[in-house]
Amino acid sequence: MAVAPAHPKLRRGYPLAVIAAGALLVFCAVLPWAGLQATSGLIGAGVASDVRGIDDAFGVYTLVAGLAALGCGLAGLLSRPRLAALALVPGGAAVLVLVLFVTEGSGLRDRISIDLGELLSIEPVIRFGWFAALACALAIVLLAFMSLVGRR
């Protein structure tokens, strides 16, 4: 007795999820990734200056990787679901680029850090957009891998 093939809607789940994660990665590229924050305990206030992802070359690379992952997911949705596994490449590249933004690029390394106690504190910070982009890039890698090894 032959086993019936998987329901077509179930086989399209991973490519659809790769599309969603790729679109979210593209959105996260325009969110604030890093900033410079100055606070003063004397006046009880502070100021911040943010850097969006697309303000840096690494953010543009992440945006392109998100578009490529979206395209891979779309190819998997329209033809064979296993084509969504190609999103492993742009997803992995996005993870690498996001790590390089913090360690190598003009993300945080070139910023100063001054701590004068209660008088003034200036420090670089990583904003929520960078963490969201990293989560989306890791989700792309995971979902692309699952589309490769998932049910046939």
Side-chain angles (χ1 to χ4, degrees), residues 20-115:
L24 283 173
L25 183 60
V26 169
F27 175 71
C28 289
V30 299
L31 294 176
W33 279 13
L36 195 59
Q37 183 172 318
T39 56
S40 175
L42 293 177
I43 60 174
V47 293
S49 172
D50 290 335
V51 175
R52 297 178 309 156
I54 57 171
D55 293 338
D56 190 79
F58 289 127
V60 175
Y61 298 151
T62 304
L63 178 88
V64 171
L67 289 172
L70 196 144
C72 292
L74 191 61
L77 186 66
L78 295 178
S79 61
R80 295 181 175 259
R82 291 210 168 193
L83 285 177
L86 292 174
L88 275 168
V89 175
V95 170
L96 177 66
V97 164
L98 285 161
V99 170
L100 287 176
F101 175 80
V102 174
T103 59
E104 298 284 326
S106 61
L108 296 176
R109 196 182 106 223
D110 298 340
R111 297 190 185 352
I112 59 172
S113 180
I114 299 172
D115 188 15

